[in-house]
Amino acid sequence: MKKIVILTGAGISAESGISTFRDSDGLWENYRVEEVASIEGWYANPKLMLDFYNERRRQVEKVQPNAAHKALALLEQKYDVTVITQNIDNLHERGGSSKVIHLHGEITKAQSTGDPFWTRDIGYNDLHIGDCDDHGYQLRPFIVWFGEAVPEIERAAKITTSADILIIIGTSLAVYPAAGLMNYAPQNCVKYLIDPKAVPAGGIAHLNIIREKAGKGVPELVDKLMNE
Ligand code: NAD
């Protein structure tokens, strides 16, 4: 079975109604990115961070996977597919994908501030100041913020080295180390990039650029790959 590795960013969830980072001038839902997506932001104002991610969690509960998420799941009928996402939403899983690596965490989980490897499913429930793990450490959202290590990056890089086909969707390729993953794909791997804007992927051999929104470009590419 051929292996497909799919790297997705905020753009794949845009048509579900979740806004991206860079399309709003470095603001995320009207907050400065550093304020709500960095470890310094957490130390400065944990309540603001909890409230912000409580809001994001409620939003994820309300939205639905779109045609792009659903189309990617169909590829599993013919290919060995791994989705590596920078997104913290759960729309790939709800769209039917079975192997999803979240590089930047998951909004439906909490993490202990005393032990980064302690995580727990919280579904769509809010987190508050005073919510603690069994050892009394404050809980925080399970999100990899700027300034923190990306524990899943090695697993993701290893899987990418065995890709026959790499599909990059809806990412500005501005956030490292995620943006560097495509460099792990083998030379002869067939690569596609779907994004309505030009993104900086220069120097990558055999890159097929599809300048479309994910809701149109992904189902079309999936159709082609299912008929190859
Ligand atoms: P980004 O905001 O930097 O870039 C978004 C990209 O998506 C842009 O290149 C844009 O042209 C493209 N795009 C916009 N609409 C699209 C559409 N309909 N179809 C396809 N592409 C479209 O996002 P990023 O590269 O993922 O990096 C920012 C970080 O933001 C990530 O680490 C992620 O964790 C976080 N984030 C996540 C979510 C989410 O979970 N849904 C939402 C916002 C931000």
Side-chain angles (χ1 to χ4, degrees), residues 43-186:
Y43 293 138
N45 194 343
K47 178 163 182 340
L48 174 84
M49 291 285 250
L50 291 180
D51 291 346
F52 177 79
Y53 288 98
N54 286 341
E55 204 46 57
R56 305 281 68 72
R57 202 174 296 108
R58 289 182 206 146
Q59 184 185 33
V60 168
E61 183 179 18
K62 281 192 214 128
V63 303
Q64 301 300 327
N66 63 49
H69 299 103
K70 291 180 193 164
L72 292 181
L74 294 178
L75 286 171
E76 295 186 14
Q77 293 169 10
K78 185 168 174 189
Y79 297 92
D80 176 0
V81 182
T82 305
V83 177
I84 302 171
T85 187
Q86 297 167 82
N87 294 343
I88 58 174
D89 66 51
N90 56 7
L91 295 179
H92 281 300
E93 289 89 342
R94 284 163 56 198
S97 287
S98 57
K99 277 195 276 177
V100 185
I101 297 177
H102 285 269
L103 288 176
H104 296 159
E106 293 171 70
I107 191 70
T108 53
K109 290 185 179 168
Q111 181 181 352
S112 163
T113 52
D115 174 0
F117 295 103
W118 186 104
T119 62
R120 178 162 297 170
D121 253 307
I122 54 167
Y124 298 110
N125 294 306
D126 285 355
L127 280 177
H128 304 100
I129 297 290
D131 291 345
C132 294
D133 70 8
D134 304 336
H135 296 98
Y137 288 105
Q138 173 67 43
L139 298 183
R140 53 168 271 186
F142 175 49
I143 308 291
V144 175
W145 288 317
F146 289 109
E148 297 192 294
V150 182
E152 288 283 47
I153 195 72
E154 278 187 31
R155 190 160 74 99
K158 190 143 196 294
I159 288 169
T160 308
T161 60
S162 63
D164 297 296
I165 300 170
L166 176 72
I167 309 173
I168 302 168
I169 307 161
T171 169
S172 59
L173 294 173
V175 179
Y176 280 82
L181 272 180
M182 57 187 174
N183 298 310
Y184 286 86

Side-chain angles (χ1 to χ4, degrees), residues 33-47:
V33 168
E34 311 81 66
E35 205 178 359
V36 291
S38 73
I39 185 65
E40 289 81 9
W42 170 257
Y43 293 138
N45 194 343
K47 178 163 182 340

Side-chain angles (χ1 to χ4, degrees), residues 8-15 18-23 28 86-89 104 169-175 194-197 199 212-215:
T8 66
I12 196 167
S13 296
E15 287 159 272
I18 303 182
S19 59
T20 65
F21 265 179
R22 321 260 158 207
D23 292 322
W28 190 9
Q86 297 167 82
N87 294 343
I88 58 174
D89 66 51
H104 296 159
I169 307 161
T171 169
S172 59
L173 294 173
V175 179
I194 302 176
D195 199 298
K197 286 193 189 152
V199 292
E212 296 279 5
K213 289 186 171 180

